[in-house]
Amino acid sequence: MRIVHPLVRDTRGGPLRQATWDEALARAAAGFDTVRKTHGGQAFGLFSCSKSTNEMNYAAQKFARVVMGSNNLDSCNRT
């Protein structure tokens, strides 16, 4: 079965329910923001893939460094 819509769970738990992309992305952004504000940027880490394009890996590291304030970056290039 292929998932074609984002699924979210209420904060109290319970079953997953279908959501709009706007809702799902807003909840993900709020979660990242909560971690950064509560624990600082170093609580965030990002792992990228060598099969992604250079542009995608560049955008990922910019997000981690500039938006999240973290230098915790790694890639499967080293394996």
Side-chain angles (χ1 to χ4, degrees), residues 22-40:
D22 287 340
E23 179 188 3
L25 291 172
R27 288 177 67 157
F32 285 154
D33 193 44
T34 299
V35 168
R36 187 177 50 80
K37 286 179 178 175
T38 304
H39 304 288

Side-chain angles (χ1 to χ4, degrees), residues 33-69:
D33 193 44
T34 299
V35 168
R36 187 177 50 80
K37 286 179 178 175
T38 304
H39 304 288
Q42 294 306 311
F44 179 83
L46 190 135
F47 189 80
S48 65
C49 180
S50 63
K51 294 187 181 197
S52 294
T53 64
N54 287 338
E55 292 81 2
M56 180 59 73
N57 283 320
Y58 177 79
Q61 69 89 20
K62 278 302 229 188
F63 171 77
R65 292 174 198 250
V66 175
V67 176
M68 295 303 293

Side-chain angles (χ1 to χ4, degrees), residues 7-17 23 27:
L7 301 172
V8 298
R9 191 180 314 271
D10 290 329
T11 56
R12 299 176 304 273
L16 292 170
R17 65 170 175 80
E23 179 188 3
R27 288 177 67 157

